[in-house]
Each structure stands twice: as C-alpha cells, then as structure tokens.
Amino acid sequence: MKHIYITRDLFFDQQASLGTCYIFDGVNQLFKSESLERGWINNKNSVSCIPEGTYDVVLEYSPKFKKLLWEIKGVPNRSECKFHVSNYWWQLNGCIALGKNRKFIDSDAVMDITSSGNTMDAFHKALEGDTVAKLHIYNVLNL
C-alpha cells in the first residue's frame, strides 16, 4: 500500500493552509508537490481543512467532477473530501488541491498554488494501479 504524507507548514489564518505532499511506496519517494487546503475552522464542513490524522483514501468515481478521484474516508463528521484540481483556497470546500509551486496569483493576500491540473495528473500517475492508499496529515507546528 502506498502512503501519502501532507506536512502543513504555512497558514493564512482561517483562509488557507499550505504544505508539502509526498507519496511513498515503502522507502521510495514517488511524488512530491505543494498542497493547498482551506484554513482550520474547527473541522466545519465545507470550509475547514481536514484535521491532522491518518485516513484511508479510496479511488472512486465522482459524479460532481465526472471522473475518478481519490476520496479521503473517515474524516470526522465529514464526507466527500477529495483530492482535486484547484489553484485557489476559495475553490476548495474541505478538499485538498495539489500544485507545482506556491505563488501569489490573484489579488488577495493568500498564497496560491500553480499548475494544479498537471500536478494532479502526476499524483494519479504515482498512485496508478492502486485503488486504496493511506493518508497522513501533520501540522509542522505540532511535530
């Protein structure tokens, strides 16, 4: 089973959390990117990042996105938390986006991520052949 690790290290109040995402197959690193989520708002549905912890991740068809996406299972009091394309925090409703670099793209004071579409393609490629994985989320401040 492959393991996905997200270490959050940059926080923009309640708007956004940025981190780094890795995929490992045993000791081999298969993937690395930037991650973007909403900020922490007490795990409130659709507006908060996912709590720190370990979760099962399952490849499932999303009727909303009309494609196979990796869904994060077991988030307390939440459902439909997915990995999907997004460059801006305000495009996320409790999900996780991945990108190549951190950059201020729009005119707000919150950092965004670039090349989310291509990065998500690489994420799917790194997990290719699997339908389940394990996600570990950490806030660097708590390590």
Side-chain angles (χ1 to χ4, degrees), residues 32-52:
K32 181 182 177 187
S33 75
E34 301 298 327
S35 67
L36 175 66
E37 296 177 73
R38 290 273 186 136
W40 178 249
I41 307 177
N42 298 316
N43 195 35
K44 189 172 179 183
N45 195 30
S46 299
V47 295
S48 180
C49 64
I50 295 169
E52 286 185 283

Side-chain angles (χ1 to χ4, degrees), residues 15-59:
Q15 277 92 11
S17 303
L18 285 100
T20 306
C21 177
Y22 303 89
I23 298 174
F24 284 91
D25 182 4
V27 296
N28 300 311
Q29 180 181 311
L30 305 176
F31 174 86
K32 181 182 177 187
S33 75
E34 301 298 327
S35 67
L36 175 66
E37 296 177 73
R38 290 273 186 136
W40 178 249
I41 307 177
N42 298 316
N43 195 35
K44 189 172 179 183
N45 195 30
S46 299
V47 295
S48 180
C49 64
I50 295 169
E52 286 185 283
T54 300
Y55 303 94
D56 291 326
V57 184
V58 179
L59 185 63

Side-chain angles (χ1 to χ4, degrees), residues 55-130:
Y55 303 94
D56 291 326
V57 184
V58 179
L59 185 63
E60 294 183 342
Y61 181 78
S62 168
K64 178 180 177 180
F65 290 93
K66 297 179 175 47
K67 63 189 329 185
L68 288 171
L69 293 177
W70 288 91
E71 184 171 332
I72 303 148
K73 301 290 190 176
V75 179
N77 303 311
R78 310 235 318 251
S79 63
E80 300 301 317
C81 298
K82 303 186 185 308
F83 282 92
H84 68 79
V85 172
S86 175
N87 293 101
Y88 308 101
W89 66 271
W90 44 265
Q91 294 174 314
L92 296 166
N93 295 318
C95 297
I96 301 173
L98 303 175
K100 184 175 181 182
N101 296 302
R102 299 175 184 187
K103 185 176 183 178
F104 291 102
I105 300 173
D106 58 6
S107 59
D108 67 11
V110 179
M111 196 167 279
D112 311 297
I113 56 174
T114 64
S115 305
S116 186
N118 290 338
T119 305
M120 287 304 306
D121 289 344
F123 176 79
H124 281 271
K125 181 91 171 144
L127 292 168
E128 194 170 58
D130 294 322

